Amino acid sequence: MNNDKQCKFDRRYLEMARIWAKNSYCQRRQVGALVVKNNMIISDGYNGTPSGFENVCEDDNGITKPYVLHAEANAITKLARSSNNSDGATIYITASPCIECAKLIIQAGIKRVVYGEKYRLTDGIELLERAGIEVVYLEV
Ligand SMILES: [Zn+2]
């Protein structure tokens, strides 16, 4: 794929991830992620509690519950239950991944990360770069 086309596709997928993020019932922050391989969306995720738990992310004090999964973690673990896999895939995330998700991204064999919103902590991005993963930041 040429660069212009890749860039156009990257923007479109990121836009889709933003739409997907709206599924999140979290009040503080809504994040979406899509895993794309061979031009196909093979998984998706948004931040939320594990399957079967109440659809509430924050406790009475507005603090995010410790068992809330991040969008990236949801998208990657969803693949663990499917017949597909993320080896060599690209993940589109509406926000910069944290270090915990960066570890999952590395171990899932994902080769490219496209994200759309910077975060004050950059340790996740640094870890991805250290692992030789291509990281692309796209402004809205
Ligand atoms: Zn995370």
Side-chain angles (χ1 to χ4, degrees), residues 62-103:
I63 308 290
T64 300
K65 293 174 180 171
Y67 51 87
V68 166
L69 285 138
H70 288 177
E72 307 91 303
N74 267 327
I76 290 168
T77 52
K78 198 168 173 180
L79 276 168
R81 300 210 299 187
S82 84
S83 55
N84 219 327
N85 72 74
S86 49
D87 197 29
T90 297
I91 191 166
Y92 293 86
I93 323 164
T94 58
S96 165
C98 72
I99 193 153
E100 292 301 322
C101 290
K103 287 187 232 174

Side-chain angles (χ1 to χ4, degrees), residues 2-87:
N2 68 43
N3 251 345
D4 277 3
K5 201 172 175 189
Q6 183 67 64
C7 194
K8 194 175 128 192
F9 274 55
D10 282 348
R11 288 192 180 281
R12 290 273 152 81
Y13 280 128
L14 200 57
E15 247 174 78
M16 288 170 78
R18 282 197 186 98
I19 291 168
W20 205 242
K22 294 178 182 167
N23 284 318
S24 173
Y25 34 82
C26 295
Q27 305 284 324
R28 292 194 64 195
R29 206 155 176 250
Q30 293 184 315
V31 181
L34 291 179
V35 181
V36 175
K37 186 173 170 177
N38 301 326
N39 300 316
M40 275 185 298
I41 297 170
I42 58 165
S43 194
D44 55 71
Y46 47 84
N47 53 329
T49 52
S51 319
F53 283 65
E54 74 291 351
N55 287 345
V56 180
C57 295
E58 295 84 13
D59 64 19
D60 294 339
N61 299 315
I63 308 290
T64 300
K65 293 174 180 171
Y67 51 87
V68 166
L69 285 138
H70 288 177
E72 307 91 303
N74 267 327
I76 290 168
T77 52
K78 198 168 173 180
L79 276 168
R81 300 210 299 187
S82 84
S83 55
N84 219 327
N85 72 74
S86 49
D87 197 29

